[in-house]
Structures are given as C-alpha cells and as structure tokens.
Amino acid sequence: MALSAVIRRFPAPSIVWSQRKCRWVSTAAESRLETVANSPKVPLRREDRDFLDSALRVNQAGELAATLIYKAQMPLLSRAHPHLRPLMKHMYDQEAGHFSTFNSLLARHRVRPTALYPVWRLAATVLGWSTGMMGREAAMACTEAVETEIGDHYNGQVRLLLKMIGEMEARGEEVSEEIRHLVDTVRRIRDEELEQ
Amino acid sequence: MRHRPSCIRSYHPYKHESNSSPFNPTEEAVLAASLRHVPTHGFTNASLSLGAREVGYLDITVNLFPRGVFDLVNYHLVTKRLALKKLLDIQAAKDDGGALTGLGIGARVRFLTLERLMANRPIIHRWQEALAIMAQPSYVPASIAELARLSDEIWFLAGDTSVDSSWYTKRASLSMIYSSTELFMTQDKSKAFAGTQKFLDRRFEDVRVVGRGISNIGNYLDYTAHSFINVLRSKGAKI
C-alpha cells in the first residue's frame, strides 16, 4: 500500500509496513527513504570532485610518509630500546591501516595518486632514519611534531568537507551516503592520529 | 515530512558517464552523421557539412565547432573510448562470462587495446589525415590528454587498482604502445590486421622485458645496500 494512502487512513501512524523491506519500519525513516530514493543521482560538481580528489591524494601521501618514517625508525629504536618495540609496532600498524584505507579509497574513486610518490618515499625514509639515529628523544619529537601537524590537517579537512556538504544542502541537494562515510572515515583517522 | 532534495550528489563519476555523453544533442547528431561520411570524404569540412545537412541543419551549423575538423576527430576518439565500457558490459553479461573470464590484468589490457584499435577499422584509411590534424600545435595538448584518458580507461576497465608511482608508468607505457601500434595500423595491409596484432604483442613484450630488467636492477641495488648496512650493523655501528 502506498505511504500516502496509509497516512490518509491512519492520521498519525508511527510505523508502516514497508513493501520494499517486508517489515514494519518507522514512518519518518520510510518517508525519508522514499523521498530520497525518488531523487535523481548526479555526479558532484567539478570543483567539489576536484577538491575531494585532491584531499584524498594528499592524505595518501601523508600516510605513505608516516608509514615510511616508522619503518625506518623501528629497527634503530627497537635495538637501542627493546621495551619500546610493542609501542612502535602499534603505531606502525595504525599508520599502515590508514595507508591501506586511503589506497582503497583512491582505487575505488579512480583518483590519481601523487606524482611525487618517489620523492616522498625517499624524504620520509631519510627523515625516519636520521631521527632514529639521533636517538629516542629525537625520534619521539619527530613523531609528536608529525602527528600534531597531521591532526591539524585532518581537522581542517573535516571542516572544509562539512562546509561543502552544508553548501550542497543549502542548494537543496542531498549528499550520498559514501560522502558522509568519507567524512566519518577522516574524522576517525584524525582521532587516531591525535591520540598518539 | 522532509522536503524532497533536487538531486543526490554522488562521488562515483564513472557510474554516470556511460549514461551521459560529453556532447550536447545537436553536436552529437551532427558529429555522428559526419563520422559516417568520413570513409568517403575523410576528416574534412566536407564531411561536417554533409553530416549537418543529413540531420536537417544548415551548413552554417558547422560553426558550432570552433576547432573545426579536430572536433570530428575528437568525437571519434571520445565515442570509441566510451564504447570500451559498453563492450565490457556486453562481455560480462554473456552466459559463459565472455572473452575476459580467467584472464589476468595484462591479458585484459591486451584485449581492450586490441578492441580499441579494431574500432578504427572503418576509417583507418583516413586515419593518417586525423593524425596530421591532431599534430597541429594548437591541438596537441587536447590530443595527448585524450590519449592519456584512453590509457587510464583501459587500465581501469582491466581491473588495475595500483595507486603508487606504477600508476604513472603503466599509463605512460600503454599510451606509447597504443600510439605506435595505431600508427603501424594505418599502413597495415595484412588480412584482418594480423600484422597489427603481432606488432602489438611485440610492443607488450618489449615493455615486459624492459620492466623485468629494471626491476632486476632495482632488486640488486636494494639487496646490495641492505647487505652493506647489515654488515656495518654487525660490526657495531649504530645505523
């Protein structure tokens, strides 16, 4: 039975039978789904898409650098301070997880990776190696500086993304689930970076 | 009740490209008709005028195309590139999975490149004209961009998910392979373009051999550097 017919018969139902899902659902949720499902799906505007592409590309480059810094520091620090090994391994695993998240996002949305990939690889390995050689304090200072900078960067990005979504909604457009999921992913990664 | 949004913005551009053409309906109609005249009249303004007349527009409609004949060449390039996705969908919809089941990425790239080359068959005897048009300095950037888009499309449709520097090297090498094979094809008189297929396979083999060589050198240098550092570490150096 159509939702409108249900509402005519029963003035204020809190639940209706959803034919699509074959179960009872709340009226509000079903009406939102129906209105959203009837709207045409269109691609993002050029400037929004370019912004998202560029944001993901920068994030991937950042996580690549972070992963390589830890990879270069780990052998030096864990030999000098074996008790730090589990902590370093935890931090490395976290960064590696972020890196693979962004890699899969780039592949999925067909975004080109950063052109300076080999440059970042070399620079990050050299940075990790030199701070590892300088000792534990230098390595930790490097980590602290990098994580703070990255946290601020992700913060700014989340702000810009929410601003973009706000502008789209002000124009009467709805944002698809994957874009909201993207914002949540960036938020989660920012929180994990700042906790270190 | 929530107001109905005017549209839902999605981040998957390539899902929509198959339904929407980058040309507006008038351009589409005139260029499609003009392309049908290319085998007889070549990539010239004559083809454009005949196409415009065929669809019922005045000859002056060709002023829609500020780049003149290059727009006709571009139309051919863009439509043949977008047709690759449709071809894949047709293959995938077949009962036995089509020609691409069980093929690795390399084999799929070869299949798609060959299909794209064979799509030039109806106008291949006019293609040298088109190459000359594309080589004009004002159109070179647009032509190279279109070649890069084709290369990206083929790798994407073949299932490549790499996002490191090999993204660039793969597309650059495929662009070179494709353009050299296309040039060869313009003078290939063999039956069913068998010569072109062999040329293509030789080019892929070249890239494989060179790639293997470079990765071998890379492995060797990597191994040497790591061994050197490990020897120093075993002597007690803190590096």
Side-chain angles (χ1 to χ4, degrees):
Chain A
M1 193 189 284
L3 181 62
S4 49
V6 169
I7 291 178
R8 265 199 303 268
R9 274 251 218 120
F10 305 97
S14 54
I15 53 171
V16 309
W17 180 252
S18 163
Q19 270 181 340
R20 210 157 10 104
K21 291 189 191 161
C22 292
R23 56 182 162 88
W24 291 99
V25 292
S26 91
T27 319
E30 189 62 11
S31 75
R32 179 180 179 280
L33 279 171
E34 277 207 10
T35 55
V36 166
N38 292 333
S39 304
K41 256 201 165 181
V42 296
L44 282 171
R45 289 186 318 177
R46 164 118 266 160
E47 60 247 44
D48 295 333
R49 185 151 57 98
D50 287 345
F51 168 68
L52 271 175
D53 287 357
S54 160
L56 287 178
R57 193 176 311 131
V58 166
N59 292 350
Q60 189 224 18
E63 296 302 341
L64 166 74
T67 322
L68 286 172
I69 289 176
Y70 282 128
K71 209 149 94 162
Q73 281 178 347
M74 256 174 33
L76 296 163
L77 285 183
S78 44
R79 243 180 307 113
H81 308 275
H83 62 279
L84 286 179
R85 201 176 301 202
L87 173 66
M88 298 240 38
K89 179 140 189 353
H90 162 72
M91 298 202 296
Y92 175 76
D93 288 339
Q94 221 178 40
E95 297 300 342
H98 298 167
F99 187 45
S100 72
T101 306
F102 283 120
N103 280 346
S104 53
L105 277 172
L106 253 74
R108 187 154 168 257
H109 294 288
R110 218 173 154 180
V111 182
R112 74 167 172 87
T114 167
L116 296 175
Y117 201 95
V119 173
W120 303 137
R121 252 195 5 211
L122 180 67
T125 311
V126 165
L127 179 63
W129 203 24
S130 50
T131 50
M133 279 223 289
M134 290 200 286
R136 181 186 57 173
E137 279 79 21
M140 289 304 174
C142 168
T143 305
E144 172 69 30
V146 163
E147 302 297 348
T148 317
E149 199 49 48
I150 288 182
D152 287 339
H153 161 76
Y154 282 134
N155 243 346
Q157 232 179 43
V158 169
R159 217 175 296 133
L160 284 171
L161 282 170
L162 290 174
K163 181 160 150 251
M164 185 182 85
I165 293 177
E167 280 169 4
M168 281 198 260
E169 285 178 343
R171 283 198 298 269
E173 297 162 356
E174 177 76 25
V175 177
S176 69
E177 276 312 305
E178 76 214 328
I179 298 184
R180 291 198 196 277
H181 185 66
L182 197 69
V183 178
D184 290 337
T185 307
V186 176
R187 265 207 198 104
R188 171 181 66 85
I189 292 183
R190 175 205 58 191
D191 295 338
E192 286 174 8
E193 297 284 357
L194 288 177
E195 88 178 11
Q196 289 178 10
Chain B
M1 202 185 283
R2 262 173 78 97
H3 80 280
R4 197 193 124 160
S6 58
C7 59
I8 304 176
R9 293 280 185 185
S10 161
Y11 191 19
H12 275 297
Y14 51 89
K15 275 199 180 147
H16 305 286
E17 257 166 35
S18 50
N19 303 328
S20 65
S21 165
F23 304 99
N24 67 48
T26 318
E27 284 175 347
E28 180 89 42
V30 173
L31 288 171
S34 305
L35 205 54
R36 283 196 290 276
H37 290 282
V38 165
T40 35
H41 295 92
F43 284 98
T44 53
N45 280 318
S47 296
L48 276 173
S49 305
L50 285 168
R53 248 182 269 159
E54 199 182 280
V55 189
Y57 292 108
L58 302 168
D59 277 7
I60 200 98
T61 319
V62 298
N63 285 349
L64 259 183
F65 308 119
R67 295 185 298 191
V69 197
F70 179 72
D71 277 323
L72 187 54
V73 175
N74 182 55
Y75 179 76
H76 170 81
L77 293 173
V78 170
T79 43
K80 296 296 180 280
R81 170 170 58 90
L82 296 176
L84 283 176
K85 170 103 183 32
K86 293 193 192 89
L87 176 85
L88 262 197
D89 290 340
I90 292 171
Q91 289 291 334
K94 285 194 183 158
D95 282 336
D96 59 353
L100 274 93
T101 33
L103 291 183
I105 293 186
R108 270 190 255 222
V109 168
R110 181 190 176 276
F111 176 82
L112 287 166
T113 315
L114 209 49
E115 282 300 327
R116 175 61 188 84
L117 285 164
M118 291 303 138
N120 282 342
R121 253 187 309 205
I123 46 99
I124 194 67
H125 53 290
R126 299 288 185 185
W127 195 244
Q128 284 186 351
E129 280 170 24
L131 289 172
I133 293 165
M134 287 197 277
Q136 289 171 37
S138 34
Y139 302 138
V140 161
S143 313
I144 293 184
E146 191 50 46
L147 178 62
R149 260 175 247 135
L150 173 67
S151 184
D152 180 46
E153 183 83 15
I154 292 180
W155 273 110
F156 175 73
L157 290 174
D160 174 50
T161 51
S162 64
V163 281
D164 51 9
S165 40
S166 71
W167 190 96
Y168 290 91
T169 55
K170 282 176 182 168
R171 279 148 181 80
S173 61
L174 184 62
S175 300
M176 288 198 290
I177 291 175
Y178 176 81
S179 51
S180 59
T181 313
E182 201 181 50
L183 191 56
F184 178 86
M185 198 175 159
T186 58
Q187 51 78 52
D188 182 17
K189 300 280 178 284
S190 60
K191 194 157 168 252
F193 292 101
T196 305
Q197 289 197 35
K198 291 206 193 75
F199 184 91
L200 183 68
D201 287 333
R202 282 199 300 273
R203 296 288 77 74
F204 276 127
E205 188 55 32
D206 284 346
V207 165
R208 258 195 294 273
V209 163
V210 168
R212 256 203 306 266
I214 293 180
S215 80
N216 281 344
I217 293 175
N219 284 344
Y220 170 75
L221 290 173
D222 210 25
Y223 177 75
T224 309
H226 275 102
S227 305
F228 180 65
I229 293 174
N230 286 335
V231 162
L232 288 177
R233 280 178 184 163
S234 70
K235 299 271 183 244
K238 294 212 171 23
I239 51 163

